[in-house]
Amino acid sequence: SMRLLGRVGSIDDARRLASALGGQGIRAEFRSDEEGVSVWVLDEDRLTAARGEFAAFEADPTADRFRVTPLPE
């Protein structure tokens, strides 16, 4: 079942975090609401690993591992 990983400040942050999680084989979704953007992990058994990535993201959100290659125009 889906589990809430945490909240980030923007859709851009959520996209970068979800991309990094995907690179670790962790499926994630994000949702925007009036309180900000929440990031959800789809595989409950990967939640511990996802929390480690989230902690790393909070500590240094501009780290290379959280860079997303922009889509070509």
Side-chain angles (χ1 to χ4, degrees), residues 1-72:
S1 62
M2 278 196 352
R3 297 288 298 272
L4 178 64
L5 178 59
R7 291 190 167 276
V8 294
S10 68
I11 291 283
D12 189 52
D13 282 350
R15 187 174 290 122
R16 290 186 300 120
L17 177 57
S19 177
L21 290 168
Q24 305 275 328
I26 301 169
R27 295 182 306 143
E29 288 182 359
F30 51 89
R31 301 198 175 141
S32 182
D33 59 38
E34 63 279 349
E35 295 174 34
V37 185
S38 55
V39 179
W40 298 78
V41 173
L42 278 67
D43 307 305
E44 190 172 348
D45 59 336
R46 300 301 310 276
L47 189 59
T48 300
R51 283 183 175 143
E53 275 299 283
F54 184 62
F57 182 80
E58 287 192 305
D60 187 7
T62 61
D64 285 349
R65 69 201 263 195
F66 300 118
R67 291 219 172 118
V68 174
T69 305
L71 296 172

